Amino acid sequence: MDEQSAVAPVQIPDRTHAVGPGWQALLARLHQQLCTLAPAYVLTGLKEKLGGLRVQVESEGCDRAALRVVIAAAESESVRTCEFCGTPGSVRTRGDWPGGWRKCVCDACHSGWSAHQLMIVHGVVRERRG
């Protein structure tokens, strides 16, 4: 048996640390949906980009269109869900400055994030102490 065949496929629960805790429930639902459609799916990408969730998977012998539908729904939900706390939010920039770093945040988390007091490190919200 070669080394690669001994490695278990990576799925969403293995990589939730790539995004903030506010998206954990969304990712848990997506994982359940993917397992229903394609139990052996392999996660090839999971990240935050331009304020939204980006998920990429591969799976053999399943309905790829159905996979795309559930992934698109989760990605769409992410741009309405604060990545920090999970409450309703919207994609905004730090200090609402045009062209700045984009993240989906609620009003409460936006002020801390804009002031560089809140950050997400390895899937956990951290407060910067001044």
Side-chain angles (χ1 to χ4, degrees):
M1 176 187 281
D2 66 31
E3 251 183 75
Q4 289 216 342
S5 62
V7 176
V10 172
Q11 293 190 332
I12 287 174
D14 302 313
R15 295 290 184 262
T16 57
H17 63 273
V19 298
W23 289 348
Q24 299 306 311
L26 184 158
L27 287 172
R29 284 191 307 275
L30 177 59
H31 173 66
Q32 290 303 316
Q33 292 169 326
L34 291 172
C35 284
T36 298
L37 296 168
Y41 82 89
V42 176
L43 183 70
T44 59
L46 182 113
K47 64 183 177 179
E48 179 273 335
K49 184 173 182 178
L50 299 173
L53 180 65
R54 300 295 183 267
V55 178
Q56 298 169 323
V57 301
E58 292 179 359
S59 187
E60 298 288 325
C62 68
D63 182 355
R64 291 182 186 269
L67 294 178
R68 283 192 296 273
V69 167
V70 297
I71 291 169
E75 290 175 345
S76 179
E77 183 180 347
S78 75
V79 297
R80 298 183 314 272
T81 305
C82 179
E83 188 179 355
F84 286 94
C85 69
T87 62
S90 60
V91 176
R92 296 172 67 177
T93 57
R94 277 205 163 129
D96 291 323
W97 179 76
W101 182 16
R102 301 171 66 97
K103 189 168 276 300
C104 188
V105 293
C106 65
D107 288 341
C109 293
H110 183 256
S111 59
W113 176 64
S114 285
H116 297 264
Q117 294 171 339
L118 283 181
M119 63 186 110
I120 297 170
V121 179
H122 203 68
V124 177
V125 176
R126 307 278 180 170
E127 286 188 49
R128 186 172 297 188
R129 306 242 188 261

